[in-house]
Amino acid sequence: MRQPGRPSRRAFAAIAASVMGLLMTSAIAAPAAAEGRIRIAEQYGLGYLPLHVLRQNQLIEKHGKALGLDITVDWVQLSGGAAMNDALLSGSIDLGSAGVGPLLTIWDRTKGNANVKAIASLNDMPLFLTTANPKVKSLKDFTDADKIALPAVKVGVQARILQMAAEKELGAGKYDALDKLTVSMPHPDATAALLSGSGGITAHLSSPPFQYQQLDDPKIHKVVSSYDVLGGPHSFNLIWSKQSFRDENPKTYRAFLDALREAMDYINANHDGAADAYLAQNKGSLDKAYILRLLNDPDIRFTVTPNRTEAFADFMHKVGAIKNKPASWKDYFFDDLHDGAGS
């Protein structure tokens, strides 16, 4: 017999169905997990100009509205690929940006789980190793008395380029011969230390505009360019995310990629406006004429298409820095760019 005060099975089923209906209605009405919010981390320098243009001109918000979505964009500034990857894996940011080396590191580390991949390239740029030591004419001339500053020891793109250059100049198997001389330091701090002679910093492997500022000082000279090491122009910075962010936020992701493409077109067609965007987002001593000089340099190009990234992947796999050897650049890029010509 049914106990007094307890609903019958039929009544219980009706109640359960009603509750389930309410839950389903709520689920249908609820928006996707974090759709409409994106947290982007950038770094210092001209290599992040596309992101500066996105921010200054509110292009992500613009493309979000075109998709019927109000997007909140949070910007964070970090230094170095290691910090960028740690922030992404901890869930502190949605998109990280740094050099090719850190992207390959996190792609390899998360393959089969978080599945971090590149969204797009940000540019092609040469990276110079500069020094204030007049005795250093080549990599062979560095001694234990030298300190080479770069953003992220062993994992950053500058660190990988130094290793590739060392193996090329010092011989097979000697790719890490100069690692003991490297110290992690943000580009602005390293530039100040190199120019002032403080902190024992005698060399710096950096990026535009810092390397050009350094070379304007007569006591600084260039030791090597990454274009010489890689055999020509190559991607410098990329931007990447977890697979889950792309899957759970399709409109936000699309708005970002559409905005990035517009930013590239804007930079390439309007150096004057791009220089204004850079100066608005980077407080410093550089004037507009100096930025325009760099934007007019044919060695500096802004494109979403990856270039010579496979050379980094091959090297990093060879020296054991990554376990998985990609068949091509398409393995570590989301498929949005697969129809284009990349390398």
Side-chain angles (χ1 to χ4, degrees):
M1 294 179 61
R2 180 170 56 89
Q3 293 183 11
R6 294 188 63 183
S8 66
R9 291 181 181 177
R10 182 177 297 175
F12 184 84
I15 293 170
S18 177
V19 171
M20 183 63 69
L22 288 171
L23 289 174
M24 290 178 66
T25 301
S26 298
I28 292 170
E35 189 81 281
R37 184 189 179 198
I38 188 169
R39 299 165 298 169
I40 306 172
E42 57 185 340
Q43 297 193 59
Y44 304 95
L46 196 67
Y48 299 92
L49 179 59
L51 302 185
H52 304 330
V53 170
L54 287 179
R55 188 174 186 177
Q56 182 70 13
N57 296 346
Q58 296 187 320
L59 296 182
I60 300 172
E61 293 89 337
K62 168 188 168 182
H63 283 275
K65 288 185 184 301
L67 296 171
L69 187 66
D70 289 325
I71 299 178
T72 299
V73 185
D74 297 325
W75 293 92
V76 179
Q77 195 161 55
L78 300 173
S79 178
M84 199 67 66
N85 285 343
D86 288 344
L88 187 70
L89 292 179
S90 72
S92 301
I93 60 173
D94 301 310
L95 272 59
S97 57
V100 182
L103 174 274
L104 289 166
T105 297
I106 196 170
W107 166 77
D108 180 68
R109 179 179 173 186
T110 63
K111 184 176 171 59
N113 43 79
N115 290 319
V116 174
K117 292 185 180 182
I119 300 169
S121 176
L122 295 180
N123 50 59
D124 289 351
M125 286 189 180
L127 310 181
F128 300 161
L129 173 60
T130 59
T131 184
N133 185 343
K135 297 180 180 178
V136 174
K137 306 301 181 185
S138 72
L139 298 187
K140 297 177 181 179
D141 300 324
F142 282 108
T143 71
D144 289 345
D146 290 293
K147 286 185 181 179
I148 304 171
L150 38 77
V153 167
K154 293 186 178 182
V155 298
V157 64
Q158 285 87 355
R160 295 303 180 194
I161 286 169
L162 183 62
Q163 291 179 339
M164 295 168 81
E167 180 161 271
K168 187 174 183 179
E169 187 170 332
L170 304 180
K174 296 185 178 180
Y175 67 92
D176 59 352
L178 299 177
D179 283 3
K180 62 184 179 182
L181 306 181
T182 60
V183 294
S184 296
M185 190 176 292
H187 288 323
D189 296 343
T191 296
L194 182 66
L195 294 174
S196 66
S198 61
I201 300 299
T202 61
H204 185 200
L205 213 168
S206 60
S207 66
F210 305 102
Q211 59 199 25
Y212 297 99
Q213 288 177 272
Q214 295 164 16
L215 292 173
D216 285 340
D217 189 313
K219 71 174 180 288
I220 308 295
H221 66 274
K222 179 171 65 176
V223 181
V224 69
S225 166
S226 62
Y227 279 14
D228 296 331
V229 177
L230 273 291
H234 62 80
S235 293
F236 168 28
N237 299 127
L238 312 171
I239 189 157
W240 54 83
S241 74
K242 295 177 183 177
Q243 178 78 46
S244 59
F245 178 80
R246 183 176 185 264
D247 291 345
E248 295 167 10
N249 305 277
K251 287 186 178 181
T252 304
Y253 182 94
R254 179 181 165 190
F256 170 79
L257 186 54
D258 289 347
L260 184 63
R261 287 190 170 110
E262 182 176 342
M264 296 294 185
D265 292 342
Y266 180 86
I267 293 168
N268 292 322
N270 185 0
H271 285 180
D272 192 75
D276 287 338
Y278 178 85
L279 293 171
Q281 299 299 328
N282 292 267
K283 310 303 180 186
S285 59
L286 295 181
D287 60 23
K288 187 172 180 177
Y290 197 95
I291 300 301
L292 287 172
R293 167 188 149 193
L294 301 185
L295 292 177
N296 289 324
D297 186 333
D299 281 342
I300 295 176
R301 305 186 299 200
F302 292 92
T303 175
V304 297
T305 303
N307 188 14
R308 284 189 169 88
T309 62
E310 292 169 357
F312 286 93
D314 291 345
F315 172 78
M316 290 175 65
H317 182 263
K318 182 179 72 172
V319 302
I322 58 174
K323 294 183 296 183
N324 296 289
K325 184 174 176 19
S328 78
W329 63 275
K330 294 180 180 180
D331 286 356
Y332 46 85
F333 269 77
F334 290 121
D335 61 14
D336 307 276
L337 303 183
H338 285 190
D339 289 341
S343 61

